[in-house]
Amino acid sequence: MLTPTPKFTVERLTFATLTELPNTWQNSDYKALLVKMNYDNPDAISEAELKEMCLMSFTDLEPREAAEVVLGYLYPEELNAGQVENLAHQMLTEKLWEENPELPLHKGFYQATQLLHDAYNGTFPATKAVEFQVKVTAENPADLAVFAEEPSAPLVRLLAPGLPDNALINRLFSSQVEGDKFEEAKSMLWQLTEKEKTDNSITFDVVSSAYWLEDFKYADTYEATTHADAVVPTEE
């Protein structure tokens, strides 16, 4: 006997457009970037002035050099020196958080471009993200368990029907939406927070790229099914 597919009512509660991701750049990051730019004693800078001083220090460099500093800081293990140099060139003209094939790096590319766009007053591409709250109500309260382990994949599967057929998720990832493995979902939802939970519903706060989910602002309340990724048995 087949297990019924979990069915939910999906309700978009809020929707906003952002240029800067919430709570991503901290004072500790600004200090670390200043150290990478050989700034003397960043600990002496007041917390209120750290960001401004960091942005000013960037402008002592060529934009490409500043991009290398930021990418090298964000991805010390993931990118080698040659990759950092190539990507720093591309950052000046390309929206790497949309165009680069490595989805797990997209959030960092967005953060880097946003910071450098601020520092160089538009030399780098403008950034655009979205934040919204979505309430998912289970037909069967036990089905909320689908979000217990890794909520990104089942949630993106629920968001997809609220997007137009020609939206990127529906065009490029239809097999993942329908299938049993959707690892890309984690890279699409840059920040995912459970805001409220009842016996039969969960309200999520989602921050993502406008590239993926801007069209969700048009979503009305609808019903949809979802499922978690299949669990691969570990070999003993």
Side-chain angles (χ1 to χ4, degrees), residues 33-49:
L33 288 168
L34 285 164
V35 169
K36 286 182 73 71
M37 289 185 280
N38 301 314
Y39 187 94
D40 290 333
N41 194 18
D43 287 330
I45 305 170
S46 72
E47 291 197 351
E49 296 177 336

Side-chain angles (χ1 to χ4, degrees), residues 1-225:
M1 183 177 175
L2 291 174
T3 304
T5 305
K7 187 174 183 180
F8 293 84
T9 299
V10 183
E11 182 182 0
R12 176 184 52 77
L13 302 179
T14 64
F15 195 96
T17 301
L18 311 174
T19 55
E20 184 174 340
L21 303 184
N23 306 313
T24 47
W25 290 110
Q26 306 292 330
N27 285 336
S28 57
D29 298 310
Y30 299 133
K31 283 186 181 180
L33 288 168
L34 285 164
V35 169
K36 286 182 73 71
M37 289 185 280
N38 301 314
Y39 187 94
D40 290 333
N41 194 18
D43 287 330
I45 305 170
S46 72
E47 291 197 351
E49 296 177 336
L50 268 170
K51 179 179 180 179
E52 184 180 354
M53 189 59 68
C54 184
L55 297 183
M56 286 177 59
S57 295
F58 282 140
T59 58
D60 291 336
L61 306 173
E62 291 296 318
R64 176 190 52 77
E65 295 174 313
E68 289 183 17
V69 169
V70 180
L71 289 175
Y73 171 67
L74 287 173
Y75 296 118
E77 305 295 333
E78 296 87 346
L79 301 174
N80 61 40
Q83 290 171 316
V84 167
E85 187 176 344
N86 289 337
L87 289 165
H89 276 289
Q90 295 172 25
M91 276 183 70
L92 287 162
T93 55
E94 297 178 24
K95 297 179 178 181
L96 292 183
W97 67 95
E98 298 179 359
E99 299 169 25
N100 189 275
E102 295 294 327
L103 265 65
L105 304 183
H106 279 196
K107 180 184 175 185
F109 289 151
Y110 185 101
Q111 288 177 247
T113 307
Q114 171 259 307
L115 192 65
L116 294 165
H117 179 82
D118 289 352
Y120 289 92
N121 196 25
T123 299
F124 290 83
T127 52
K128 187 178 182 183
V130 298
E131 180 174 19
F132 57 88
Q133 287 193 4
V134 59
K135 181 179 181 180
V136 296
T137 303
E139 193 172 81
N140 176 0
D143 288 338
L144 289 179
V146 75
F147 302 108
E149 292 297 323
E150 174 45 63
S152 297
L155 182 57
V156 175
R157 289 185 175 108
L158 276 184
L159 299 178
L163 300 169
D165 290 343
N166 64 353
L168 286 169
I169 290 175
N170 288 325
R171 284 197 293 114
L172 303 181
F173 295 95
S174 59
S175 61
Q176 288 90 333
V177 170
E178 298 296 329
D180 59 9
K181 207 68 182 167
F182 196 175
E183 291 190 1
E184 297 88 350
K186 281 190 285 189
S187 300
M188 293 174 177
L189 305 186
W190 291 346
Q191 295 178 15
L192 178 59
T193 309
E194 186 180 298
K195 301 296 287 185
E196 186 179 348
K197 187 173 183 180
T198 69
D199 289 342
N200 68 336
S201 72
I202 302 177
T203 299
F204 291 104
D205 188 86
V206 176
V207 176
S208 178
S209 172
Y211 183 68
W212 297 119
L213 288 169
E214 183 171 30
D215 283 340
F216 195 69
K217 66 186 175 186
Y218 302 117
D220 293 320
T221 300
Y222 59 93
E223 291 188 344
T225 59

